[in-house]
Amino acid sequence: MSFKTALFALLSSPYLTSALPAPESPSYGSTFNVSACQLPTPNPLSDCPDNTLLVGPTSNAHFSTIQSAILSIPNNTTPYTILILPGNYTEQLNITRPGPLYLLGQTAHPYSPDNGNNQAGDNPGTKNGVVVIWHQATGTATTGTLDNAYTSTLTIAPTLNASLTGSGPDGNPVPPGTPFGNTDFRAYNIDFVNAYLPYSAGPSLALSVSYANAGFYGVGFFSYQDTVYVGKLASTFMRGGTVAGQTDFFYGFGTLWAQGISVLLRGCGGGITAWKGTNTTFVNKYGVYLHESVVRKANASLSIEHECALGRPWNAQMRSIFANCYLDDSIDPSGYIEWQDSDTRINFNTSMAEYHDYGPGFNLTGRLAAGNITKELTTQQYEPYSTPDKVFEYPLSGKFGNIAWIDPASYPQS
């Protein structure tokens, strides 16, 4: 599937002029057993719900590419599932529809919230049999200067405009009246890879989510620069997967909660996180929250001791919290860092914080010596950010508790 075809799917959405809805609370995920649908059987769809499409290289598959299956689905609120047989799929995926859509990788070892971190493995295909691969970057003389959105392996957004990163303090101005996109997107046991080059060579996204709710379970995202983008009005939840990168590889404007994942350092550049806060007329908690996760070098041969920063402020309203995370010795003693010496982007609005992190990469002396860049939160200060329902809000409302789209078995237990 060419990017031109995928881009047309974004631009041709009939919802381009719809008013922004407050997403309803879908219940599709409670109507069938996801793991049972994923298990290999003589009839692959025997334990799957109605409206399940089969993708793969076999004669009984409905489609041979994932994007062709996506494009066949009506742009409405009817729930659909796509079961994907093991293999490598070289294509870009674009999800514009508002209704629930689940992408399931067929596997004998389905994701379980009880199986700990790194269920996607250290490298693409090591645990998940379904791997979606693309090769594209931007922002350099070699790659050109297209918006970052054009590079992403997986994009979930109602329109092209909604997905654009843009530039400046506020990024791309999304047109008024842009519809909210998918209210309940989920992926299980799939690796998404942007394999442009084996080092940072400009933004090369594996994931882009904007104006949508998206959950990822046992999923891997692999790139080097800007691996995961969580854009405006995006709510994204991850559990039991892997995110690998080198430079600013969690970035965005929206809200990301990652629980029990492995953060693999393929090198050190910029920071692990880089976020832009947004001024709103209501209280918001846009930011990136990593909980009970493992942050470590991608392989033992890397010589990056004390070189990787937890993050740096994309603008001065950045919010990033690492809570109860294991940090290996790759982490800079200061924790977070300034954007750069001549443009620190740090003021009283900046929240770059930790709560009860541990391991050789947690150096309280080093944090204190760097001044007030990294904030060590007390239990009272951490409490307003301690569970997903406290940070995920309904679009443009200031009302928190937007969590019905999260797999309930994966919701963190207090």
Side-chain angles (χ1 to χ4, degrees), residues 378-390:
T378 65
T379 299
Q380 183 178 8
Q381 291 169 328
Y382 169 69
E383 195 278 334
Y385 310 98
S386 57
T387 55
D389 62 294
K390 296 174 182 177

Side-chain angles (χ1 to χ4, degrees), residues 141-355:
T142 303
T143 61
T145 56
L146 290 171
D147 189 271
N148 297 4
Y150 289 87
T151 72
S152 188
T153 306
L154 170 64
T155 298
I156 307 157
T159 68
L160 174 63
N161 260 320
S163 71
L164 298 176
T165 301
S167 59
D170 302 318
N172 179 64
V174 180
T178 295
F180 195 81
N182 200 284
T183 57
D184 184 14
F185 175 87
R186 302 186 195 181
Y188 293 78
N189 295 104
I190 302 173
D191 289 343
F192 296 93
V193 184
N194 192 322
Y196 177 70
L197 283 173
Y199 53 83
S200 289
S204 47
L205 282 57
L207 171 66
S208 174
V209 184
S210 298
Y211 275 64
N213 302 327
F216 300 94
Y217 307 92
V219 170
F221 296 102
F222 299 87
S223 184
Y224 282 84
Q225 184 167 337
D226 298 347
T227 306
V228 168
Y229 173 63
V230 178
K232 293 180 178 179
L233 297 190
S235 294
T236 302
F237 180 88
M238 298 179 179
R239 184 143 189 194
T242 300
V243 177
Q246 178 177 344
T247 303
D248 299 338
F249 57 97
F250 293 91
Y251 86 109
F253 296 87
T255 306
L256 168 63
W257 182 287
Q259 179 96 16
I261 71 166
S262 283
V263 178
L264 300 183
L265 305 170
R266 291 176 147 186
C268 301
I272 297 171
T273 62
W275 227 255
K276 279 187 179 179
T278 304
N279 286 319
T280 57
T281 58
F282 49 86
V283 174
N284 75 70
K285 295 180 183 177
Y286 303 146
V288 51
Y289 305 91
L290 283 89
H291 288 254
E292 298 174 359
S293 296
V294 172
V295 182
R296 61 179 177 84
K297 58 178 69 70
N299 62 73
S301 67
L302 290 171
S303 181
I304 54 174
E305 184 177 0
H306 300 161
E307 293 184 8
C308 295
L310 295 177
R312 59 177 184 158
W314 198 17
N315 74 9
Q317 293 171 277
M318 170 166 168
R319 181 181 287 116
S320 171
I321 298 176
F322 286 72
N324 298 302
C325 290
Y326 171 86
L327 310 177
D328 83 353
D329 64 5
S330 306
I331 301 304
D332 188 309
S334 69
Y336 294 89
I337 59 173
E338 300 169 342
W339 180 257
Q340 56 190 33
D341 291 342
S342 60
D343 180 15
T344 64
R345 301 187 185 181
I346 294 175
N347 62 29
F348 65 92
N349 287 315
T350 312
S351 297
M352 301 191 296
E354 293 178 281
Y355 178 75

